[in-house]
Structures are given as structure tokens and as C-alpha cells.
Amino acid sequence: MAKRLKTAVIGTGFMGRVHLEMLRRVENVDVVAVVGRQLASAQKMAAGYGAEALDDYGKLLEDSTLDAVHICTPNATHYSIVNDAFRAGKHVLCEKPLTVSVVEARELVDLAQKTGLRNCLCNNLRYYPMVQQMRRMIEAGEIGEVLIAQGTYSQDWMLYPTDWNWRVDANVSGPSRAMADIGSHWFDMIEHLTGLRVQSLCADLQIFHPTRKRPKRSVETFTGKLPSAEDVEDTPVTTEDFGAVIFRLGDRARGSMTASQVSAGRKNGFTFEIFGSKSGVSWNQERPDELWIGHRNDPNQIIVKDPSLLKDGARSYADLPGGHSEGYDDTFKQVFRRFYRSVLEPGSAAEYPQFSDGLRQMTILQAELDSYRTRGWVNVEKYIAQPVLEGHSELRGRR
Amino acid sequence: MAKRLKTAVIGTGFMGRVHLEMLRRVENVDVVAVVGRQLASAQKMAAGYGAEALDDYGKLLEDSTLDAVHICTPNATHYSIVNDAFRAGKHVLCEKPLTVSVVEARELVDLAQKTGLRNCLCNNLRYYPMVQQMRRMIEAGEIGEVLIAQGTYSQDWMLYPTDWNWRVDANVSGPSRAMADIGSHWFDMIEHLTGLRVQSLCADLQIFHPTRKRPKRSVETFTGKLPSAEDVEDTPVTTEDFGAVIFRLGDRARGSMTASQVSAGRKNGFTFEIFGSKSGVSWNQERPDELWIGHRNDPNQIIVKDPSLLKDGARSYADLPGGHSEGYDDTFKQVFRRFYRSVLEPGSAAEYPQFSDGLRQMTILQAELDSYRTRGWVNVEKYIAQPVLEGHSELRGRR
Amino acid sequence: MAKRLKTAVIGTGFMGRVHLEMLRRVENVDVVAVVGRQLASAQKMAAGYGAEALDDYGKLLEDSTLDAVHICTPNATHYSIVNDAFRAGKHVLCEKPLTVSVVEARELVDLAQKTGLRNCLCNNLRYYPMVQQMRRMIEAGEIGEVLIAQGTYSQDWMLYPTDWNWRVDANVSGPSRAMADIGSHWFDMIEHLTGLRVQSLCADLQIFHPTRKRPKRSVETFTGKLPSAEDVEDTPVTTEDFGAVIFRLGDRARGSMTASQVSAGRKNGFTFEIFGSKSGVSWNQERPDELWIGHRNDPNQIIVKDPSLLKDGARSYADLPGGHSEGYDDTFKQVFRRFYRSVLEPGSAAEYPQFSDGLRQMTILQAELDSYRTRGWVNVEKYIAQPVLEGHSELRGRR
Amino acid sequence: MAKRLKTAVIGTGFMGRVHLEMLRRVENVDVVAVVGRQLASAQKMAAGYGAEALDDYGKLLEDSTLDAVHICTPNATHYSIVNDAFRAGKHVLCEKPLTVSVVEARELVDLAQKTGLRNCLCNNLRYYPMVQQMRRMIEAGEIGEVLIAQGTYSQDWMLYPTDWNWRVDANVSGPSRAMADIGSHWFDMIEHLTGLRVQSLCADLQIFHPTRKRPKRSVETFTGKLPSAEDVEDTPVTTEDFGAVIFRLGDRARGSMTASQVSAGRKNGFTFEIFGSKSGVSWNQERPDELWIGHRNDPNQIIVKDPSLLKDGARSYADLPGGHSEGYDDTFKQVFRRFYRSVLEPGSAAEYPQFSDGLRQMTILQAELDSYRTRGWVNVEKYIAQPVLEGHSELRGRR
């Protein structure tokens, strides 16, 4: 019988709850504890699944039978929790962004390398079945040489000056908001899919609401849309609502992207198109089971997700038959399954994003912030002071 | 602390696996066993989730600590397993269709009534968030008087004469295929949404492949698309590949539908549009998070699923924020959660489809088969020899 | 230099205006006159294009230099105008439906045959480029044996009881409304595309508004949506708002369609899907430049109109490059061009719908009305008392 | 009776043919001549419409009864033909881009101003009905303050190195290709719709095929996709296949766009989205009759073109009823109609793009070329050495 693994979720917000529920779907893994700053929140989340509730992750890490932890806390806390978890010998799956600075990210990558522990950054969006289909198509040369990558990640939950969430607070969330929260998904995806690296970029950012109304109690991510009467206070905002970037990708390809939290009507509008010398692909997270393939001399194609139509490397990401939709939650299951399989099989390849990918994302983010400040093109490479350790990431592994 | 319930899954095919994995997401429920005809299949399914594997559901029912069972076996076996489970005092959640005849279905409804046990028919498709949004809109009179209901349930997995599955065999699956398997979802949906009953109908059926190539080993539902070399034998087919129905709904409304398993390119194409005296709604299962609302004197509307845009009664079916897709699997979670809540709270309303709905579906199916045989309109009421017991079903409750 | 032809438009409503403007695009044709019941309407239409305005088509037909006429008057008047035009030796292009009865239609077909004059029924919708692409694909066997044809023609301009137009008045428009006006386009299209004939059918009709508010002045087709205060009177309605039909097509194929003028949000929603033993096609008039092609074992395809992607027989219907949309008006140009080419080239094939197609449409319509009255299936053939003269129609020519 | 105007078309390529055919739809205008470099081309185009064929526009301009000319020749020739036409006292409608340099464009604007003759630049794409609907919505404040404008104009007709057309030759077409041909439409549209001006921008360009195979005979625009065997010669290319721009619009808004002639599967993919502080709008030229309106706290909306749903100022651009598609050709009719109305009514407003808009487009284009060369942000204003004369353009008039 397979060994069963013990894990725990730290963080009781939107992401913490998703991790917990999706961990329940993974075979041979038991969630033994949930940790929250407030014990009541942890108890509420843990109760139904027979897990223990804690308000101190330190105690959790003392449990020598625990194999791994999921870190779903605000961005600025990742660095120290990951540090502590690694030092306690736990495998770590951390929500993105990995840290709030390149320096911190590099330290965590080094630490992961030294400890030899499994480390996963939760860029779950890579694992929609149709995304993996694109990846395998590009890898197989089906679109030819990559020429163009463009798109946007647009949401509207921060449209009004009355919208507030901990992510607006730079002390908790770091110096970037739209680019860090969702723009980082966009770049991670493009580099993952094309196997190319962003070489240089020119970015523009905008804070449309330099002041927002902050409620005096905390507001869960995405839930602020439902109105509620409460005390608010005018609070200056230092992180961007919107960013636009043009960039050079690999030696010849060109790109363009925007990220926005103030685009009315776009709920989770992560879209991109990648055009190559033979054909193009396009995808939209709001219709995740569809993949558009563009051709010049043949009709365009639309794949509605169907395992029998997917390439070998993509098929294992589709658990349901043709036309039976797989959603956002299901991408977490795909990541978690592969993460725990790698924990069980030391030496096996890491088929998921790793901390080195998180460092890469922080590097691009830093380049964006600097490009905006200096109002000019910047070379991404110059932010990579020390070469990232090779051999780790699924992304790099593909180059 | 909430009482924990014990349940088990009978059946190890495509549906059995979905039930098991989705049960894991439901709070306060433990899956203690999986039953399969072949022990090896049950073991394979059960292992990762710490459940026991059995090859005899009789033994399972002897366990007095077991609260409920999920029946995910071929259609023709439902009747006897449900019977046994009720007699053993277990609450029952059964896959659709409930039985292979009206008579059997009526007996099970009566038995459910007598025992007072919870009974659920797994018409999960009702529980996509956008479907519930439509339901609440219609209930609130937002589309006015219902005038027209039309659409199709089209798939392509049976297109070729080489496609085979146990569902083709009338002895295992009953006298109808396309109409029973997917047409029944269509009618259930329309009656659920409109609160109106199909009064009369005229149906046409067609078997495009009167002979199919049957492989000598069994083939899982939907998996036959991937080619495999194997021994086959010509086998006559007596169940329809396609059906078309026109019908009268309530006193004034009119309708039209088709069901097909041979429509190339449609993977799980369950679509319908309902037009009322004020506005219309339309939905397509292949893009489940979108709802079209048609207007005459205003722009049409598209809701991309977002809890903040849903009506009160629909919001609890959307567990994720705007634009974070919820898929096929997630509908099961919604059903199971409500089923077990009702088990825990005797006397509470059954917010899910019940066996009386299954009887209703069998009744319409019987009317279709007769209409086809007699080549004419038939009155559905005449198939309801004995009035269905009132007060049970969510559907009926809305009338 | 090519001979120039003289033509005239009879009728000054919505269709008359479209014919006039589209005739201006046809090479070697001069519109010399416009005829209206009210001289002022004719003058208004004729003025800008240098045509003469008349209020009596009799005078027009006396002009021996006139080659052809376009008949765009209310349905019930077609019969006598066509008769007069043929007897005056003019080629005739008539709006659909050809007449208000099968008998009249048959007479006109016979007369056309006897006179040897060119006759065209304006089923312009066949001539969208993507429709012709489907036709050529089916002809070439690319979808295999036709199995299923289904769809709808749905509009909303008659949704409210306050909506009125001459088409509501059976004395002017004939005994059928939704089925005659738009349902006839649907069946014409399916027979045109598949080359198969509807053999038998079962139809249901519904008049949702048995009484409508009739304005005391006349209302142009489609324009009644913009509100206007005026005197109205309650008027009984005897023609259907909605119809639903199931049918058998050729020897084995099956079909289903609805036609509606009361479907909120559908403006000109003519859609259909045709599934064959190899693949399927689907099209929607509201996005006329797109064609969906469904496959079982390959990705589905979408052609965005591009001459370089069309089959040889379809390419001449696309006058603009890829992605440059061609609309409703442009289909008339395609018909007119081919009609006048045939006038100039006696003996050439008629590459457009002819009166025999109009008779066919009246026959199916009569079958629908009878099926509804008798509440049962009817055999279409029995309405063809006298075989339609062969060799005429583009549709028949393809069989 | 209205005065009839005489006009002529200079140029016999794709655009010349479209102008001629669309002029035929305009009331009170007669096309008296067609001018081509080769008389045979002119004869072929002119014959069917009873116009004279010429091979020298000089002769044409000597005709004192001629009111106006349409210039549809290659870009580099516009300057001198417009000059000659103005000096001959003709009103001028010129295809875009107006010239191949800012200096030339400024001269033509000045000359137009001095002569007082009507001048129109054929930015026809502004005149799709749904585009005008957006314009009126934005003007009325319905989307609030404009925050973001983004999109692309993507085609694929230049994807392969074997694709060739006169537009590739910088001597004929000017120093820019993708940005001049289609990028200019994009910026014209955004400034037209928002009433805001691009203040600064940073552009990147790319020539993916620095060498192309040039056929020894000429190839009509867009027609090169159909293969033909012929002699070709390797020819260096100096104009871009692709461009990407980020920009600042007005005081606070931000934007991003790309233009591409090498994006496989995009035939004429002109799309944009404009997000404001209240709501957003989005449109795609490949589905021109649809307009998406995005909302934060209400369902999104889709208008399928229907005059009854359009705002007053937009309704006159929709000549057909709801759902009856209007296409690319129809936008020319809208421009031409308004142009000739203004010729007939001296002193009336110019409800169409004028040469000052052409100068504006050349200015932005120059800024893009310089930004690319200097690899940095540039201020568009610095290219406006001499303020454009006010009061002319429809665009400017709206500020």
C-alpha cells in the first residue's frame, strides 16, 4: 500500500480554502492541520475535514510526522514562513508571488537548493488542460518559430475607489499590485509555453485611484463587490491599478501585455495569443476548455477539451471526457497531485513550477518597476545578479 | 462538533470515480467503502482515499453504521440495489436514469415515501451556478410568461459504427439510449427551470447504425474514442442514436428538442433557450459559466459567473469569485452537500432532485417511445396511472 | 460592349428599397422605374437614382424596352403581378413567398415554363459565401451521409401584442406568418444544402397573441420597434407567432426546426446545424462570415470568410478579402448578378432559386398547416398533386 | 429635384473597385469616369457602370463639370494627385494614409484650408453602426472617464516570405507598412471614439522577413494567398511586419496596441477595448454587428445591431433592421453619402474624417518610427511643428 503523506494549510483566506478542498481530492495525502492567525477561522475551515486547527505555524512545524506545508498567507509573510518550513525539513508549496523582492526570492531558491526539499510555486493556471495542449504543440514545433506573444490579464474588482482588500496595502502585498498579482501569471505563462525568456521590456503603470476608501475591518479577496455599510477611511494607494508592457522575447519575438484590476466587465480575463511562423494559438481563461488555433492557409480550429484530441503530454491534465468542463479548482488538483508524487518519489522530475520560477517572476517584476520609474527600456538580465541555479524548474528544464 | 456521516460508492466506472472524488470535498462525510463487481477495480479506486474495497454490496448494507450509499452502476441494476439499500435503512443517492421502466420507478418512489429515507436522483446538471440563476430569474417572473423552450443535447462519442459501450446494450441500459441518457437531462432541466410540465409530445427516433462492432472486452463510457486494436463482433442495436421531439409545455408554451450521440464535433453540447413574454435566456453546457439573457427593447446581456451578479437563491451554488470557472465536477459537490445536509437535518427541505423526478423522467421517456411507435402525438398524463406522491421533489415543490 | 438591360422595382417597402440599391451594384443593368401604390413613395425612392416613378405597374409593363421586373409587394399580390409580367414578356424576379397557396404557385411555375422567361425567387439567404461553402462541402461528400438537420429561425419583432405590420393580416400575407416568412427560408436552405427532400413532417403552431393592437396607419416591416403614440384597435390574429416541426429528410436523415417572431433577443437568428456520418457544419446568420465545421476525431474548425479558404464553387460568392465582412445586402447582389447574366445568356443554367423552388416551399408550408390542423404526421408528397416540372431549379438540378 | 453630382475614381486596384461599386449606391451622384495607369484595367472596371475609362487623371481634371474625385492609388502618389485635384477645384476623397510624410500631409491640409474644398480621408472603419454607437455612448458619458484603450489590428496575409504586394515596397508605400496600413486605423479609431489625443508613446517594430520573394508581375492586395507559379526574386524589405506600442492618452488614460500582418488565422482582426470609470466597450471587426459592453455591478451586455437599440446619433449609420448584417462595403456608403451631402450643402458640418485627421495619423506614425529608432518614449506633440488648423475634422470637432 502506498505511503500516506501528511500536510497542512497555513492561511485561511480565499486561497487557503481552495488549497484545503483540493488537497482532499489528492490520493494518499491527509491534511492534518489548518493554521490561521485567528483560531476561529482555522477551526471553521478545519472542522468539516477532520483536521486540527492552530493559530501558530511554529507549533505545526515541530510535528516531525508532517511532510509538507501549503503557504497561503499574504505575500509579505511568505519569506519567513518558507524559511522556517525549510529549516524544519518540510517540503513547501507556496502561493505566488513567492516574495516581495528579488533578494528574498533568491535566498529562498538557494535554501531550497541546499535543503534538497521539494518546492512548488502555485502558478496553477499553467495546468488547465488546454494550456498544456498549447505547450505540447509549441514544443513539437507545430506553430513554428514563435514570433509574437500578446494579451492581457484584466479584472474589475478594484474598479471603484471604494474597493479595498489587503492586496492594496503595499506593506502587506509588496510594491506592485496588478503586475504582481496577475501580470506575473501572464509572463509566467508565456515563458512556460514558449520556452523563451523576456530579454528586455518597457513598462508603464498607472494608479487611477491614488486614494481609496479603506474599511476598518478586513475584506476577503474578491468579496468586496457585495456592498456593505461600514466605516471607511481615505487611504493613499501606492500600487498600480494597471500596467502595460512591450517586450522582446528570445532573440526575435516581440510581445505586448497589459494587466488591470479596473476593467469593467472583465472578471478574470486572462487571455493571450501566440503567433508563430506556421500558425497561432489563443486562449481565454473565462472559457478555459477552448483552444483556438489559427492558420493562414487552412480553416482555423477550435478544440473543445476532449482527452482524445489532446497530445500525449497534455492528456493527463484532462480528467473528464470531452465537453465535461474542468474549471479553476481542477488546476490545483493537477499541481498538488504532481507535487506529492514528487515527494513520494525522490529524484523524480518536478512537473510543476518551482521557486526558481518565482525568482524569475520577481526579476521581471523588478524590471517593470524600474522601467516605469526610469521611463525607458530595461534589460531584464541585469536584474539577475547571480545566475539562478539550473536544473530546478519545469520552465527552465524545457529550454 | 457536527456529526460525521458514513457513506459508500457502488460502481467503479466513470461516474463512480467522479462521485468518490467529489464526496471527498463534502464536509462531515467519510467515504468508508467502494464496491465493484471486480474487487481489483474497487481496490484501485478506494486505495488512495483510505476506503475499504468490496465486491458485494450486500455486505456493505449489513454495516449498521453506514448512513448512505451512492449507486453508480448500469441502469438496469438500479432497481434492485435501491430496493436493497432502502430495506437496509440507508439513504440513497442514485445515478440517472432511476430505472429502466415506469413501473419500477413508481415502486421506488413509493418505497422511498414509506421508508422516509432521503432519496436523490443525480441530475447534477441543474446545479451549475448559471442554471440556478436562470431558475431564480424565471421564478421571479423576470422573463414573463414562458412561451418557448428549445434546444438539444448533442454528443459525438457514438458517431462511428465501431463505437461501443455498455450503454448500447438494451439489456443493461434499457430500451432507450440517447433519450434516456441525455434527453432525460434536457427535459428534467426544462421542467426544473420553468416549473411547467410537458403535457403532450410527438417524438421521432432513429438508429443510424442498426449494427455496431462490439469489442469483446468492456469499454468505459466515453473512452472508446481512443483507438485500440481488438476483437470485435457485429452486434444488432435496438436503441436510438438520435431523437427529436416537439411538445406542449403547460397550458400555452411550446417546445422542441433533439438528443444525439452522433453529432460530429459536439462533445457535450447540452444547450437550450427559453423565451418568455418579457425576455429570454440561453445556456450551453460547453461554456457553463456564461448565461445569455435576450431582450427585445434593450441590449442582450451575458453574465459571466460572478457571485456578486447572481440572485440570492443562486449565489450559494457559486463557490468561486467572478470569472474563476466552475466545471462539471463542481455540480456534484453542490448536490452532495445538500443531500448530506438533509440527512443531518431531518425534516428539512430536499434541495436536490428526488426519485419522484426520476419517475417523471421515466414517464416522459415512455411517452416518447410510444409516440415513436404509434407515429403520433401522445398525452404524457396517460402514463401517470397513479398520481405521483406530492411534496417530495424540488421540481414539484416549485409548482 | 455588353448589352445593357432595363429593369424596374415594384414595391416601395423595406424589400423594394433593398432591391433598388442592390441593383445599382450590378453591372450592365439600369433601373428605369420604381412603382408604388402611392406615387409619393415611388418618387422618394426613385429620385436619387434617376429612375422614373409610377403608381401603376400596368403602364410599366407596356414599355417594350423593359427586360425584367422585381416584385417586392405584399405576398397576396404576387400571383397577379407575376402573371401580368410574364404575359407582357418580362423576366421576373419575385420576393418570397411566391404566392399564398400551392395552386397559385403551381400555375406560376407552369406559366414560367410555357413562356420560357427567366424566373427567380429571392431566397437570397442561400448566397452568403459561407452558405455556398457548406453547399460545396456537402456536395463533395466532406460531411459524409447527411444524418441530422436542426435549427431555428428566431426573431423578436412581433413579441409584444402592440407589434403590428401588414404581415400579420392574413388577407394580405396569406394563411401563415412565421412559417411562411422565415420558416420557408429555413427549409429552402436545408433542401438546397443537402440536396435531400423533406418527406414527411409533424408540425405544431401557436398564436401567442390571438389579438393584437393594430395602428390605424401602416407600419413598415421591422420598424415598429421604435415606439410611437398613435391610435390602435384590437384586431384578431389568425397567423402563427411560432411553429415547431420535426421531419424526415430523404430516406434516413432526421430533422427538427422552429420559427419564431416572438423570441426576445433574437434579431434575425437564422441558425442551423447539419450533421453527417463524417463531420458536421453549423452557421448563424447573425455572424454570417463564420462557418463551424465539427469533427469527431480532429479539432473542430471555424472558417472566417476568406476567398483563399473557400472551395472553387463557393469562391465567386465572396467579393471581399479575408475578414472583410459581407452582409445581408451583399447576398442580393449575388442573386441579381446571376439572374441578369442568365437573361443575357439564353440557355445558360439558372444559378439562383426559381419559381419551382417557390412551389416547393408552398408545398411544405401547406403540409405544415395540415399537420397542425390534423395533429399528426403528414406526407409532403401528397401535396404535390402534379409533379413539378423538372430541370428548372438550382435546387432540383443538384439532385 | 436635387442637383446631381459628377465624380470619378482614380485607381483600379482593390480599393478602387470598392469605391466605384459603393458610389453606385449613393443617391444623386454619377460616376462619370474611372482612371487607371493601364487603360485596359480602367475599361474593365468602368464598362458595366457606363463610366468613361481614362489612363490619365490630368485629362479628367480638365473636365469643368466634374465635382469630385476619389483617389485610390498607391500611397506615395496621393500627394501629387490631391494637389492637382485641389488646384483644379475638385472636392477630394482620398484613401488612407493621406501621404507618406508629415510634411506632405501638412501641405495638403493647408491647401484644403485655402481652397475651401471638401476633403475626406477614407477612414471608413469608423462608420460601422456599432462603432458609432460606442462613440455616442462615450460622448454621453456612459462609460465614465476613459481609463484604458487596448487592442490589436492583426492580419495574416504577409505571414510567409513568399507573400508580396506593392505595399511591401517602401518606395511606393512609404517608410512604414503594418503601422501605416492598419495601425493607423487603430489609432484613428481610438482618438475618434474617445475624443482624447495620444500624448506620448513608446513603440517597437519588427521585420520578421528581412528578405521576401518578389514576383516579377504585380500582385493585387490580399490576393497573393492563392498560390501561383511564377518567377520571383529575393528582395530586401525595410518596412515592419509587426509593431507594438504603449501610450498615454489624454491626461490620465493608458493604452497598448499591436499591428501585425503575420498573425496566422487573423484575417482582418481589428479589435479594441476601451475601459472607463463606469463601464467598458469592446468590438471586433470580424463580427462588426456586435458590441460588448462591460459592467462591474451588472451583467455585461451584447448589442446585436438593431436600429431600435442604437442611440440617436448612431441610428442613421444602420440602414438595415435588427440582425440583418451590415458589412465592410456598407461603411463606404456611409462615408460617401455624408461627403456628397456636404458638397451639396456648403457650410454644413463635415461628418467624416478629413485631411487634418490624415495629418494626425502621419504625426503619430512619425512618432512611432522615431520611438523605435531611438528606443525610447517620445512626445507626440513635438511632431506637430505647426498647429493643425482647427475646426476641420470630425475628430477634432468633438474635443
Side-chain angles (χ1 to χ4, degrees), chain C residues 138 189-197 249 395 398-399:
Chain C
I138 294 172
M189 184 67 89
I190 295 301
E191 292 198 341
H192 175 66
L193 287 176
T194 64
L196 300 174
R197 291 300 181 104
L249 183 69
L395 184 150
R398 299 191 41 237
R399 299 209 65 203

Side-chain angles (χ1 to χ4, degrees), chain D residues 209-221:
Chain D
H209 299 305
T211 301
R212 286 179 179 265
K213 307 285 180 193
R214 175 182 205 143
K216 291 179 177 171
R217 68 157 182 88
S218 81
V219 182
E220 184 46 76
T221 304

Side-chain angles (χ1 to χ4, degrees), chain A residues 256-328:
Chain A
S256 167
M257 66 81 68
T258 62
S260 169
Q261 295 175 330
V262 293
S263 293
R266 299 301 182 200
K267 304 308 168 188
N268 204 16
F270 178 18
T271 69
F272 54 84
E273 24 186 33
I274 299 174
F275 294 104
S277 57
K278 291 184 186 168
S279 55
V281 290
S282 176
W283 180 80
N284 173 359
Q285 184 178 231
E286 291 183 359
R287 292 175 175 174
D289 270 358
E290 295 179 29
L291 169 57
W292 178 91
I293 308 169
H295 298 292
R296 158 55 194 273
N297 284 348
D298 285 296
N300 295 335
Q301 296 174 301
I302 300 275
I303 303 185
V304 175
K305 189 214 68 186
D306 186 331
S308 71
L309 299 178
L310 301 188
K311 296 182 81 69
D312 284 346
R315 191 173 299 125
S316 70
Y317 294 86
D319 284 2
L320 295 177
H324 292 69
S325 57
E326 298 186 60
Y328 177 79

Side-chain angles (χ1 to χ4, degrees), chain A residues 25 225 287 290 306, chain B residues 25 49 225 287 290 306:
Chain A
R25 301 171 72 175
K225 288 181 178 180
R287 292 175 175 174
E290 295 179 29
D306 186 331
Chain B
R25 300 171 73 176
Y49 300 120
K225 288 181 179 179
R287 290 177 176 173
E290 294 180 29
D306 185 331

